Amino acid sequence: MRPRRFLVTRLGDDSIVIEAGEAAHAERVLRMRAGDAVVVFDGTGAEVDGRIERVDRGRLIVRPTGPIRLADDGWAGLTLAVAAPKGERADWMIEKCAELGVAAIRLIVTERGAVTPGAGKLERWRRKAIEAAKQAGLSRVMAVDGPMPIGEAADSRWLLLLGDPSPAAESFVDRLEGLRAGEAHAARVQVMVYIGPEGGFTEAESAELASLGAIGVRLAPSILRIETAAVATAAVFAGVMRDDGAWPRGSIHMRTQEEHAD
């Protein structure tokens, strides 16, 4: 059985502290004790093997048993700008995108959006992202940000690609592979995907995305729901991405099933 993973605020050379909720879960639920092997990570790409040295006032003190491992500096990150779907669909989307290594989800406010998550829901989703990272063996935790306006979620340094379900549109995979081949020596790169709300973006919102330089691409021949488009995009990105992270900067707005119906 592989060692349990725990998120910490800081990795140290001599000792590392697992505290708060992580410590309570380790001690009370998992019944972990001194001598147990663990992996601790900081959520930003660093992790280290360790062994619990002692339990001290609700905290677990861990002694590192190896060097700190850092994620590749050329890591390519995927950010999803998403109008949150309803109910359990959003929970599922957050969990699966986090497992697939999405860097961040930015929840966008749109005219037709049915869900504007409050602080409590955001905190629950952030906990889900942490648990998904631990389950998937990731050293980075997906950020969950927002709610925010469409334009605030974007980054002017990135190329925008606008989802287009027509068969004539270039496929998402072909676009990424072509850009990757053209920028094989790129260092750290970021890709952003815009996913619309139920009912789709309004004409004004679509015009705003177009003003940011959106170019049409097609993810699949079928029309996808919000959470399906998010997870499918994450899976395609993970599957096509190279280990060296040599990827172009980009941003994609995927058309959802609800948009198509509108």
Side-chain angles (χ1 to χ4, degrees), residues 68-165:
I68 293 176
R69 297 185 293 273
L70 299 175
D72 190 344
D73 290 340
W75 175 69
L78 172 64
T79 295
L80 301 176
V82 183
K86 299 175 183 177
E88 295 182 355
R89 293 165 53 193
D91 292 349
W92 181 83
M93 179 186 74
I94 294 290
E95 180 180 85
K96 300 312 172 188
C97 286
E99 288 179 15
L100 285 163
V102 171
I105 281 186
R106 296 178 181 175
L107 298 160
I108 53 176
V109 177
T110 63
E111 185 173 332
R112 295 169 178 164
V115 179
T116 301
K121 188 168 289 186
L122 290 171
E123 182 58 31
R124 188 178 84 243
W125 288 342
R126 288 167 183 149
R127 290 196 301 269
K128 282 185 173 292
I130 291 171
E131 291 305 313
K134 292 160 67 173
Q135 167 65 31
L138 301 174
S139 59
R140 287 188 173 90
V141 174
M142 183 181 77
V144 181
D145 302 320
M148 63 184 70
I150 289 174
E152 186 178 319
D155 191 311
S156 61
R157 297 172 299 174
W158 302 346
L159 170 68
L160 263 69
L161 303 179
L162 182 67
D164 184 345

Side-chain angles (χ1 to χ4, degrees), residues 187-259:
R188 183 184 173 90
V189 292
Q190 302 294 319
V191 172
M192 177 173 282
V193 176
Y194 270 86
I195 298 174
E198 297 183 6
F201 289 118
T202 65
E203 289 186 8
E205 290 166 343
S206 296
E208 180 179 2
L209 287 170
S211 73
L212 296 172
I215 302 170
V217 293
R218 171 176 47 83
L219 178 62
S222 55
I223 302 300
L224 306 178
R225 299 184 73 170
I226 296 170
E227 67 277 17
T228 308
V231 174
T233 300
V236 168
F237 184 86
V240 179
M241 180 172 56
R242 293 196 323 192
D243 290 342
D244 63 5
W247 276 80
R249 292 177 172 84
S251 177
I252 300 95
H253 154 223
M254 301 309 304
R255 179 169 296 186
T256 67
Q257 182 178 19
E258 290 84 353
E259 282 185 83

